[in-house]
Structures are given as C-alpha cells and as structure tokens.
Amino acid sequence: MKAVLCKEYGPPESLVIEDLPSPKPGKGQVVISVKAAGVNYPDVLIIQNKYQFRPPLPFSPGGEVAGIVKELGEGVTNVKVGDHVIGSIGWGGYCEEVVADAGRCIPYPPEMDFVHASAFVMTYGTSHHALKDRAMLKAGETLLVLGAAGGVGLAAVELGKVMGARVIAAASSQEKVDVCLKAGADGGFVYPRGPLDRDAQKKLSDDIKAAVGPNGADVIYDPVGGDYAEPALRSIGWEGRYLVVGFVDGIPKIPLNLALLKNCQIVGVFWGAFTAREPARNKENLAELMRWVKEGKISPLVSKTYRMEEAAQALNDMANRQVKGKVVIAVG
Ligand SMILES: NC(=O)c1ccc[n+]([C@@H]2O[C@H](COP(=O)([O-])OP(=O)(O)OC[C@H]3O[C@@H](n4cnc5c(N)ncnc54)[C@H](OP(=O)(O)O)[C@@H]3O)[C@@H](O)[C@H]2O)c1
C-alpha cells in the first residue's frame, strides 16, 4: 500500500511516497481502507516537529480519514468489516491503509460521502467543544470568529449560527469573508495580513469594535493568535469569553489587565485531549454533530481535493493561507 511519509522533520517538500506492506490490526484495533484524508493545520506542524504530539519517524501525517473497515483485530465489536467510518487518528492518514483503535472509529450518516466525512470531525469537533463546553455560547450572543474562512473557523461560523448566535466573521480577503457570509455569518470584515505594527493593531481593534457593535463580542473564537490576539481581546464585551484555539500566527503574550478590565475569561481549548480524557462527553457531542448533519444544518465546505502525490502542495497551500474551508487528499 502507498503512503505519504515524513522520514525526517522539515517542510512539506521533504515528504516522500513509498510502498509499504499492509498493516495488521492489534487487539482492539481495525485496519481502515482509506478513501479520503482531511488536511488540517496540525498536519503542517507535525511534519516540522512543531506540534504537541511527536510520533516516531517515519510516520504519515493526516489526523483524520474516511474509509471502509477492512480487517478487525481481536475483541473489536463496535464496528464490522465493510462499515464506512471516520478514523480520528491523530496522524497516519495520508496512506491507503491505516490501523486505528476501534474506539476512534466513528460511524457517519449516509448524507456524507468519503470526502466530506474526512473533512469533518477535527474541525467541527473542536469548534463545537469550544463554543458549547468552553464558551457556553448562548442564543442571541455575538460571536466573533478570526480566521473565519479556515477549517475550524468556518465550522465555528456554521455552529455559531446553529446555536443561535449573531456571528461576525473576520478574514484576510473579501473573497474569504464572502465564503463566511455564504455559510451564514451575519456580518464580516477584512483584516490585513501580518505582521501588524502598533498602528495596524489599533486599527484592527477599532475595526472589530465597529463590526461587532458597541457592546463588544460576547465570545471570540481565535485560531490565529500572534499579532491578532491582543487587538481582538481589547474588543471583547463585558464578561466575554476569549477562546484560545490555535496559533497559526504565533503564540501571543497578553497583558492580563485586559481580562480584569472586562471581567472576561481567557479560555483554553484542547479538543484532542478532551476526546481522550472525556470519551463519553465527546461521544455525546459527536452524536449531536451527526444529527445536525442529517438535518442539513451543517456541512463542511471542501474547496479542493488533491492526489496523494500532491500532499506537499496541499500543506503548502494551507500554510500560505490559500485554503478556503477544507481541503482533502483523495486516496485510491
Ligand atoms: N485547540 C484545538 O483543540 C485545535 C484543534 C484543531 C486545530 N487547532 C488549531 O487551529 C488552528 C487552525 O487550524 P485549521 O486546520 O483550521 O487551519 P486553516 O484551515 O489553515 O485555518 C487557519 C486560518 O488562519 C488564518 N491565518 C492567519 N494568520 C495566518 C498565518 N500566519 N498562517 C496561516 N494562516 C493564517 C488563515 O485565514 P486568513 O488568511 O483569513 O487570516 C487561515 O484560514 C491551528 O493552529 C490548529 O493547530 C486547534
């Protein structure tokens, strides 16, 4: 079977494709015949040794796949051969066959094809956990989403609307803002590409206040960080919740007096750890998300699919802010 491999840490160009023997499932595991692998920003980081998880070399990137269960290991009862499943695997997905713990295989509704199923769980799982469990977003509140046309961002836009919030989308081009408006955002604005000097940060803060209104945002969803975080936090409303989701623009340092001035909370979000520590709650969340898929309330926007040979291009497009919504590697 063919696999895209990271044999040494480096940029996407250092990935190689090799033929490997078919893997065998251990106890409690299954082999999934992969049909599509979702591309997520953590894939960009993991191959450069910049992510929280450090799999031993060589490994295939790819935190989530959709495919068909090919073989069962000892003791597996929750899925059977032939089932269509999403494998939420952390890494290993850019290949034709992958071993997954049976507990991390998620059935999905027939409304989804392989491509959309592979582009779903990490982004929607993260944004749902962030908005529901961490921010406790309420209907009628104002939600500001940074990087709103990206994977987790666009999921936050859609989920914010399903939860009854007023959603304001912020992104680096009008084309991206338009994608968010089409996905249901109530408003949006364009911010500049960084680095942002003090004047640009002050202007960003003013632009956010103008977009969200005089009371500020009740919840800010931030997968960007870097130079964007402090101006965003300065625009938060009284008793707002600031969701720390990601750092594509770098890890910011925040003056803590800002939290005091607004009586607000700066709230961490680590969905992967949540799924491992609280599997029962995660299962409930996934059930709610799958119900919303069936009801046609949410659906990932897959803007492009790549072949396995184009995996480096997919990761570079993501790192260079070229991606709208999700991109996927079609396998086989
Ligand atoms: N906390 C968690 O549990 C969790 C789970 C999943 C992912 N994440 C994190 O969430 C972040 C986003 O992941 P994703 O898969 O949604 O990525 P993505 O699809 O690439 O979206 C990220 C967005 O950030 C914006 N951006 C701003 N500055 C950027 C820069 N310097 N480089 C690249 N993009 C920049 C881009 O939009 P504009 O061009 O419009 O600014 C882009 O659309 C990553 O840091 C990832 O690790 C966290």
Side-chain angles (χ1 to χ4, degrees), residues 146-147 189 191-206 208 222-235 242 246-255 258 321:
L146 304 182
F189 67 96
Y191 54 55
R193 283 184 168 225
L196 307 180
D197 61 20
R198 282 183 81 83
D199 287 346
Q201 290 193 24
K202 168 80 176 63
K203 181 172 183 316
L204 174 56
S205 204
D206 292 344
I208 295 174
D222 180 11
V224 174
D227 290 346
Y228 300 77
E230 187 178 325
L233 182 57
R234 285 182 184 279
S235 76
Y242 191 98
F247 310 108
V248 284
D249 193 56
I251 299 178
K253 288 193 166 64
I254 297 287
L258 297 179
R321 302 164 85 161

Side-chain angles (χ1 to χ4, degrees), residues 3-329:
V4 175
L5 290 179
C6 172
K7 297 182 91 171
E8 53 187 51
Y9 295 119
E13 293 71 28
S14 48
L15 294 172
V16 294
I17 295 198
E18 286 190 3
D19 258 317
L20 299 177
S22 284
K24 284 282 160 201
K27 195 173 171 186
Q29 296 181 319
V30 307
V31 173
I32 301 173
S33 185
V34 177
K35 300 296 173 194
V39 178
N40 293 286
Y41 206 87
D43 304 348
V44 175
L45 300 174
I46 204 167
I47 62 167
Q48 299 177 72
N49 199 18
K50 290 181 180 168
Y51 197 53
Q52 293 101 314
F53 303 117
R54 294 188 166 79
L57 294 166
F59 69 92
S60 180
E64 58 186 347
V65 299
I68 302 172
V69 176
K70 184 190 168 208
E71 199 178 338
L72 303 183
E74 192 192 325
V76 174
T77 54
N78 64 320
V79 290
K80 56 185 189 314
V81 170
D83 281 357
H84 290 203
V85 292
I86 295 167
S88 182
I89 50 179
W91 64 85
Y94 293 5
C95 59
E96 290 177 331
E97 293 175 4
V98 69
V99 170
D101 288 343
R104 302 199 72 85
C105 290
I106 303 158
Y108 60 89
E111 282 78 4
M112 277 182 155
D113 56 23
F114 289 124
V115 164
H116 288 82
S118 76
F120 184 69
V121 164
M122 189 179 288
T123 50
Y124 284 82
T126 298
S127 296
H128 181 260
H129 173 55
L131 297 176
K132 179 185 164 195
D133 301 327
R134 305 299 292 135
M136 295 176 208
L137 179 68
K138 294 188 273 300
E141 289 192 317
T142 296
L143 166 68
L144 169 71
V145 182
L146 304 182
V152 294
L154 202 56
V157 168
E158 270 197 321
L159 291 168
K161 287 313 297 174
V162 174
M163 293 178 193
R166 170 178 166 259
V167 178
I168 306 298
S172 66
S173 70
Q174 189 57 48
E175 218 186 332
K176 287 187 174 184
V177 170
D178 289 344
V179 166
C180 302
L181 294 172
K182 209 166 161 205
D186 299 279
F189 67 96
V190 178
Y191 54 55
R193 283 184 168 225
L196 307 180
D197 61 20
R198 282 183 81 83
D199 287 346
Q201 290 193 24
K202 168 80 176 63
K203 181 172 183 316
L204 174 56
S205 204
D206 292 344
D207 288 349
I208 295 174
K209 284 174 193 155
V212 298
N215 294 332
D218 298 296
V219 175
I220 296 180
Y221 184 98
D222 180 11
V224 174
D227 290 346
Y228 300 77
E230 187 178 325
L233 182 57
R234 285 182 184 279
S235 76
I236 203 163
W238 179 250
E239 297 198 336
R241 286 85 76 205
Y242 191 98
L243 293 166
V244 179
V245 179
F247 310 108
V248 284
D249 193 56
I251 299 178
K253 288 193 166 64
I254 297 287
L256 273 181
N257 64 315
L258 297 179
L260 180 152
L261 290 173
K262 296 288 180 62
N263 223 20
C264 73
Q265 300 171 50
I266 298 173
V267 186
V269 178
F270 190 174
W271 175 73
F274 165 74
T275 66
R277 296 167 78 104
E278 305 211 39
R281 278 177 68 200
N282 180 48
K283 204 170 166 192
E284 275 172 31
N285 284 358
L286 287 173
E288 182 162 66
L289 287 172
M290 294 306 178
R291 196 170 63 247
W292 288 343
V293 169
K294 278 180 92 65
E295 292 169 0
K297 291 181 174 167
I298 54 174
S299 172
L301 170 75
V302 178
S303 57
K304 189 167 176 182
T305 57
Y306 298 78
R307 292 176 295 115
M308 283 175 89
E309 291 73 14
E310 299 169 318
Q313 185 62 51
L315 293 174
N316 275 323
D317 285 351
M318 180 158 274
N320 296 326
R321 302 164 85 161
Q322 302 298 316
V323 168
K324 292 181 208 77
K326 294 285 303 175
V327 294
V328 164
I329 299 189

